[in-house]
């Protein structure tokens, strides 16, 4: 695996004592922590990976720095650029490096001179560099909801949860674990109502667990990190009393996000099946009881691929019989290696797809297409 060398700069900010710390773009400068270990507040690091999206990054940062923080909370923002080359981005980066922020915030800017091709290397650097008690990952098209950071930090100050998932909104729709309250002491399956990385993680536990975003993987790397960390944790919470994260989309002319897969439709299907296979191995490698691993496998290998990614429909609808059979064989092998046939069919019955899943398990593409055609005609 290729290692990535990052240049580091400290943005201009007011220190805890009120004096200015002047940043530099010199590659030899190293970052230092800003969280006061004797303070009564909580320390939160917000990590943002970006690539060729100055407008999106500006929106994300403004949504953070415009928040009101009470008490002694401190927020460290680490921005990692994955080798942006455009003049427009470099102009914004230079402006950002001279920005003043309130004394409760600090801004650390890191740049990868060679593009890694995804967000994983940057997010792993955030894990390595964070000086705070907790880490929150954001994309550069995300924003913090108005007046959400203060309540979040207040909650973290009294929480002992290792991972706190956050209610989020895309467009007019909010996604959250019902009901719309603060959920404590969730079990691992309940906690995975969302597998997006936009949760808050206890920094020490992330490092202790060895959880990393898989570099070189550009599809599903975020949820694989979430699953790996969760299988090595015990205490989960979910804040669903309000929107905390607002997810956006690139503006016209902006680059797609680092996590977005590239390539053909066939590449997407191959990547999806490889992702499901990695899910299976993460679950199998955990020390969780067998019944919990089975519950996770049902969620990650059956419910999620079928409901969220429509994997059976996508394989059935592919026009190349040989390729579709290859995919069907691989999906069948992954789920049969992890779950007994009876459990797979029982869960498929709940989803109303037992006949289709029977064809998957038997690698019967002809009958799968027939069943789907008959259902479509009804």
């Amino acid at each position: 695996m290729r290692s990535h060398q990052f240049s580091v700069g400290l943005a201009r900010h007011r220190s805890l004592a009120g004096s200015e710390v002047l940043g530099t773009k010199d590659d030899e400068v190293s970052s230092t922590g800003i969280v006061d270990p004797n303070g009564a507040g909580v320390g939160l690091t917000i990590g943002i990976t970006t690539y060729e999206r100055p407008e999106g990054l500006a929106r994300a940062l403004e949504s953070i720095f415009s928040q009101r923080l009470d008490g002694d909370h401190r927020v460290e923002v680490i921005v990692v650029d994955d080798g942006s080359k455009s003049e427009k981005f470099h102009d914004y980066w230079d402006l950002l490096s001279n920005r003043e922020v309130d004394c409760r915030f600090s801004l650390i800017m890191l740049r990868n001179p060679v593009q890694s091709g995804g967000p994983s290397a940057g997010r792993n650097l955030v894990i390595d560099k964070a000086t705070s008690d907790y880490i929150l990952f954001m994309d550069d098209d995300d924003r913090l909801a108005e007046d959400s950071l203060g309540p979040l930090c207040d909650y973290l100050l009294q929480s002992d949860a290792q991972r706190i998932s956050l209610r989020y909104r895309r467009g007019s729709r909010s996604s959250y674990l019902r009901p719309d309250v603060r959920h404590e002491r969730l079990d691992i399956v309940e906690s995975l109502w969302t597998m997006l990385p936009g949760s808050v993680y206890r920094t020490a536990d992330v490092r202790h667990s060895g959880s990393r975003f898989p570099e070189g993987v550009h599809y599903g790397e975020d949820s694989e990190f979430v699953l790996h960390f969760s299988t090595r944790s015990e205490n989960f919470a979910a804040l669903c009393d309000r929107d905390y994260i607002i997810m956006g989309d690139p503006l016209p002319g902006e680059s797609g996000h680092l996590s977005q897969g590239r390539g053909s439709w066939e590449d997407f299907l191959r990547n999806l099946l490889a992702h499901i296979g990695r899910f299976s191995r993460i679950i199998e490698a955990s020390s969780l009881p067998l019944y919990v691993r089975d519950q996770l496998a049902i969620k990650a290998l059956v419910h999620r691929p079928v409901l969220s990614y429509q994997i059976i429909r996508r394989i059935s609808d592919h026009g190349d019989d040989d390729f579709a059979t290859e995919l069907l064989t691989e999906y069948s092998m992954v789920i049969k290696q992890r779950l007994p046939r009876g459990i797979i069919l029982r869960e498929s019955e709940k989803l109303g797809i037992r006949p289709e899943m029977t064809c998957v398990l038997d690698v019967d593409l002809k009958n799968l297409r027939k069943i789907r055609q008959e259902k479509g005609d009804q």
Side-chain angles (χ1 to χ4, degrees):
M1 183 178 298
R2 182 178 62 179
S3 63
H4 301 289
Q5 300 299 317
F6 290 83
S7 59
V8 180
L10 290 177
R12 177 186 179 100
H13 67 276
R14 283 170 285 182
S15 70
L16 296 177
S19 61
E20 285 193 341
V21 178
L22 297 179
T24 176
K25 292 188 290 183
D26 190 315
D27 289 359
E28 300 301 318
V29 172
S30 60
S31 61
T32 57
I34 54 89
V35 178
D36 182 359
N38 300 314
V42 75
L44 174 65
T45 293
I46 301 178
I48 304 175
T49 52
T50 188
Y51 175 73
E52 297 291 10
R53 305 232 336 238
E55 294 93 344
L57 179 57
R59 293 194 302 269
L61 291 175
E62 185 58 34
S63 76
I64 297 170
F65 295 139
S66 63
Q67 298 277 330
R68 193 178 99 179
L69 281 180
D70 296 325
D72 294 320
H73 303 315
R74 296 291 181 267
V75 175
E76 170 185 66
V77 181
I78 301 179
V79 180
V80 185
D81 168 44
D82 195 48
S84 297
K85 302 297 183 185
S86 69
E87 182 178 352
K88 185 177 183 180
F89 185 90
H90 280 241
D91 288 344
Y92 175 70
W93 192 260
D94 290 341
L95 287 173
L96 190 59
S97 67
N98 291 303
R99 173 172 180 165
E100 277 194 13
V101 297
D102 184 86
C103 62
R104 298 183 189 276
F105 297 89
S106 74
L107 175 61
I108 299 173
M109 300 163 60
L110 311 177
R111 166 166 285 172
N112 182 7
V114 179
Q115 185 182 2
S116 70
S120 292
R123 289 172 177 165
N124 289 335
L125 191 67
V126 171
I127 294 172
D128 295 337
K129 295 290 186 181
T131 65
S132 306
D133 306 305
Y134 291 92
I135 299 174
L136 166 63
F137 296 102
M138 289 176 55
D139 291 337
D140 59 6
D141 53 1
D142 294 341
R143 289 172 288 139
L144 287 183
E146 187 176 355
D147 294 327
S148 63
L149 187 57
L152 173 59
C153 290
D154 290 341
Y155 177 82
L156 295 177
L157 188 60
Q158 53 85 34
S159 175
D160 61 354
Q162 296 166 285
R163 173 176 170 255
I164 303 101
S165 52
L166 302 176
R167 170 171 159 170
Y168 64 91
R169 186 175 82 238
R170 183 182 290 277
S172 60
R173 180 184 176 186
S174 294
S175 297
Y176 57 96
L177 179 67
R178 268 61 175 178
D180 53 348
V181 297
R182 294 181 172 186
H183 301 265
E184 305 279 353
R185 296 294 188 265
L186 297 174
D187 65 40
I188 184 173
V189 178
E190 291 174 321
S191 78
L192 294 173
W193 66 272
T194 175
M195 299 186 75
L196 296 174
S199 299
V200 179
Y201 308 85
R202 191 180 288 273
T203 307
D205 291 327
V206 172
R207 291 169 177 163
H208 179 73
S209 71
S211 299
R212 308 286 284 182
F213 288 89
E215 299 184 29
V217 173
H218 305 313
Y219 184 86
E221 75 290 333
D222 44 7
S223 52
E224 290 169 32
F225 169 85
V226 172
L227 181 62
H228 186 277
F229 178 72
S230 298
T231 58
R232 285 150 179 82
S233 303
E234 298 177 348
N235 195 342
F236 307 97
L239 299 187
C240 302
D241 55 320
R242 65 170 74 204
D243 292 328
Y244 288 86
I245 303 291
I246 300 174
M247 296 184 175
D249 294 305
L251 293 174
E254 285 189 328
S255 172
H257 189 262
L258 285 168
S259 291
Q260 293 178 347
R262 300 168 178 82
S264 67
W265 191 242
E266 287 75 16
D267 291 334
F268 167 77
L269 290 171
R270 286 194 179 96
N271 288 335
L272 174 58
L273 283 167
H275 168 58
I276 295 170
R278 290 190 295 272
F279 259 5
S280 180
R281 292 190 290 275
I282 291 170
I283 295 168
E284 190 60 35
S286 75
S287 59
L288 295 168
L290 178 60
Y291 77 94
V292 178
R293 280 182 281 153
D294 283 349
Q295 290 178 333
L296 288 176
I298 290 167
K299 182 181 184 68
L301 309 183
V302 179
H303 287 192
R304 197 165 184 264
V306 170
L307 298 178
S308 298
Y309 297 115
Q310 298 288 307
I311 188 170
I312 294 177
R313 177 185 65 80
R314 295 180 191 278
I315 292 175
S316 174
D317 290 351
H318 199 282
D320 186 325
D321 290 358
D322 290 339
F323 183 68
T325 300
E326 175 189 335
L327 297 177
L328 201 61
T329 301
E330 185 173 350
Y331 183 44
S332 174
M333 180 180 65
V334 168
I335 56 178
K336 287 191 295 186
Q337 283 178 342
R338 184 60 202 82
L339 289 167
R341 184 183 182 96
I343 292 179
I344 298 171
L345 293 178
R346 182 192 69 199
E347 293 301 318
S348 301
E349 183 79 38
K350 295 177 183 178
L351 300 177
I353 58 163
R354 183 185 177 106
E356 292 94 323
M357 187 58 77
T358 300
C359 292
V360 171
L361 297 177
D362 296 338
V363 192
D364 188 346
L365 180 62
K366 180 178 179 181
N367 276 324
L368 175 60
R369 286 173 169 168
K370 180 180 178 181
I371 290 168
R372 291 204 64 257
Q373 184 177 22
E374 290 173 350
K375 282 191 173 182
D377 291 339
Q378 292 177 352

